[in-house]
């Protein structure tokens, strides 16, 4: 057999004129060339086909990650919960369900004990931070921490959802795919949006709401180049979720309707109440009064608070989807609704204020539904002949609370539509979300739970200039016709520098600590026509007439927004673009000037 293989190899070598080991290197070379071309195409703002390919890949990857995450939650429930139901805290004894939050925060504290503060950042807020200030690159340690804290907080009975972990895990996995392929950072931003949309889509089986949430809350922009890949990612993730979990929505919703228009004033009043609750939630969660308290004591406060309320009302624990489903069918007692509307709101917000990064989206929906149901029950008691069912107000409260806390009206309305499958609820839903958002924003001064405000009151992702420059990578604008040279050259060397007709010369200084300079090649060409310089045996490129620009480095994957920041940080007017061709070997790929960035923005605007 070995002789036959050797003869076969020799025959291939004689036929093709290459050795057996040369062919794989040729295939690898073609792969590298194709990937480099793919990267260059992605650097442009109009790389829609390439971004759509990434969207599908992100949806597949996110779907797989979410199936693993939900499987781990199910495995934990099978081991620890009655009947293997992750929501059956009511079936536990009061002692067990009161101690489980304390055990959960202890496990979280031990896990994070020796980790630096930066490694403890997880959830949707972390996703927005990495997208805003780190071009969508995620640390591996934070990603691993999200797995542990997401699973422990839900199974351990804290007031927490699974959507925040889903978004972080999905966005980081999608970004990791782009980082693995060394894609430009403008495409990493799109991959983060794709992962976010697919994470919401898989969690709730709401692909449209996932798209709107990604664009409205995380990316904070609406563009065609951003929409299409995010839509593909969300729909692909939904397909995987339906293949594994079926096509049923996250909650079973009864058919409801507005009924009489007399309900509209009561809907507005209900939305006012929910807007105030949303403002209370945001202010408690963002409170800084507990920052001086030691971390271990804050964790203990969270565990004891949840355990104390859970002794009488276990409905405040976990995701609360079973309580939400029962609220929509009208089978929850009034005292339980009050405990959920007030208790779960304060417990979730208090956990965030104490530094426990629990997911808030699921609890916010449950709290909104409970508050809406209470208002609906009060309306039915005041006007029994014309009032709509309490379940109707519960659905409106769910959307209004989500929209007011996140300041994301379209995402809340799309979630309402996809969860209810009832287009007749859109009109009252729009009214509820609008009033609740205005109340939260104007009366309570809330600007959105996840958006960190800058000193100028405008978030980085809300700045039109930075948004536009973040959509494009450096290779799309840089000048590639560049030659690198030493400061002093002979006349013959100077002529050879101009053989390839470069636009710029990058001049290396004598000291490594000094930044290189850029000189227009045309200035050197003019000097070579001057007899004064032709009499010199060697030319000093820092002495010939011409404008020289000090340079700072920027890597090939950077976006124009990164380049713009680098220009301002270094106080220069141009950057040299470099990338790694081999370990410890840097190659200059081009030069990008401040004027090139400004001209691009003016032209594209």
């Amino acid at each position: 057999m070995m002789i036959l293989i050797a003869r076969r190899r020799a025959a291939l070598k004689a036929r093709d004129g290459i050795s057996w080991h040369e062919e794989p290197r040729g295939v690898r070379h073609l792969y590298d060339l194709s990937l480099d071309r793919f990267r260059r195409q992605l650097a442009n703002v109009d790389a829609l086909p390439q971004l759509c390919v990434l969207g599908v890949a992100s949806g597949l990857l996110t779907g797989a990650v979410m199936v693993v995450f939900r499987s781990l939650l199910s495995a934990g429930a099978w081991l620890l919960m009655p009947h293997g139901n992750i929501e059956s805290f009511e079936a536990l004894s009061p002692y067990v369900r009161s101690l489980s939050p304390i055990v959960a925060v202890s496990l979280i504290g031990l896990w994070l004990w020796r980790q630096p503060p930066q490694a403890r950042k997880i959830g949707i807020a972390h996703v927005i931070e990495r997208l805003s200030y780190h071009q969508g690159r995620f640390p591996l340690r934070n990603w691993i921490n999200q797995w542990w804290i997401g699973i422990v907080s839900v199974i351990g009975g804290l007031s927490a959802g699974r959507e925040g972990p889903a978004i972080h895990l999905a966005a980081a996995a999608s970004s990791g795919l782009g980082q693995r392929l060394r894609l430009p950072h403008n495409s990493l931003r799109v991959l983060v949006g794709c992962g976010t949309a697919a994470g919401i889509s898989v969690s709730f089986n709401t692909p449209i709401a996932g798209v709107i949430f990604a664009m409205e809350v995380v990316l904070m922009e609406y563009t065609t180049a951003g929409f299409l890949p995010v839509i593909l990612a969300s729909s692909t993730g939904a397909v995987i979720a339906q293949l594994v979990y079926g096509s049923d929505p996250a909650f079973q919703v009864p058919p409801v309707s507005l009924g009489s228009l007399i309900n509209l004033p009561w809907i507005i009043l209900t939305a006012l109440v929910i807007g105030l609750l949303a403002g209370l939630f945001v202010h408690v969660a963002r409170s800084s009064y507990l920052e001086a308290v030691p971390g271990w004591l804050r964790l203990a406060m969270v565990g004891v608070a949840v355990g104390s309320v859970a002794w009488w009302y276990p409905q405040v624990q976990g995701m609360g989807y079973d309580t939400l489903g029962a609220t929509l069918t009208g089978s929850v007692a009034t005292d339980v609704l009050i405990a959920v509307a007030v208790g779960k709101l304060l417990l979730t917000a208090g956990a965030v204020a104490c530094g426990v990064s629990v997911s808030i989206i699921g609890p916010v929906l449950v709290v909104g539904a409970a508050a809406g149901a209470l208002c609906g029950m009060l309306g039915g008691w005041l006007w029994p002949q014309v009032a709509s069912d309490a379940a109707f107000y519960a659905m409106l409260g769910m959307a209004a609370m989500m929209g007011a806390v996140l300041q994301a009206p379209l995402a809340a309305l799309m979630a309402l539509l996809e969860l209810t499958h009832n287009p007749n609820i859109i009109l009252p839903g729009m009214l509820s979300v609008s009033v609740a958002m205005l109340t939260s924003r104007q009366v309570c001064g809330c600007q959105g739970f996840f958006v960190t405000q800058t000193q100028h009151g405008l978030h980085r992702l809300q700045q039109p200039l930075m948004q536009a420059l973040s959509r494009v990578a450096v290779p799309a604008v840089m000048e590639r016709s560049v030659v690198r040279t030493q400061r002093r050259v002979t006349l013959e060397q100077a002529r050879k520098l101009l053989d390839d007709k470069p636009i710029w010369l990058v001049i290396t200084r004598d000291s490594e600590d000094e930044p290189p300079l850029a000189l227009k090649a045309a200035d050197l060409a003019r000097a070579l026509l001057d007899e004064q310089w032709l009499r010199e045996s060697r030319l000093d490129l820092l002495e010939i007439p011409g404008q020289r620009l000090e340079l700072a480095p920027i890597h090939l994957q950077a976006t124009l927004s990164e380049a713009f920041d680098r220009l301002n940080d270094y106080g220069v007017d141009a950057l040299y673009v470099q990338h790694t061709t081999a370990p410890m070997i840097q190659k200059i790929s081009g030069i990008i000037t401040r004027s090139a960035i400004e001209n691009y923005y003016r032209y594209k605007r």
Side-chain angles (χ1 to χ4, degrees), residues 133 447 451-460 462-463 466:
Y133 302 104
Q447 301 297 317
V451 177
T452 303
Q453 297 298 306
T454 64
Q455 294 180 352
H456 301 287
L458 189 64
H459 191 272
R460 182 181 178 88
Q462 294 172 320
Q463 300 175 21
M466 303 312 295

Side-chain angles (χ1 to χ4, degrees), residues 460 463-471 561-562 564-565:
R460 182 181 178 88
Q463 300 175 21
L465 172 61
M466 303 312 295
Q467 275 193 354
L469 297 183
S470 295
R471 299 187 194 116
S561 64
E562 289 179 274
F564 189 75
D565 288 339

Side-chain angles (χ1 to χ4, degrees), residues 258-269:
L258 173 62
S260 174
L261 292 178
I262 299 177
N263 286 286
L264 291 180
W266 193 250
I267 289 175
I268 294 175
L269 185 60

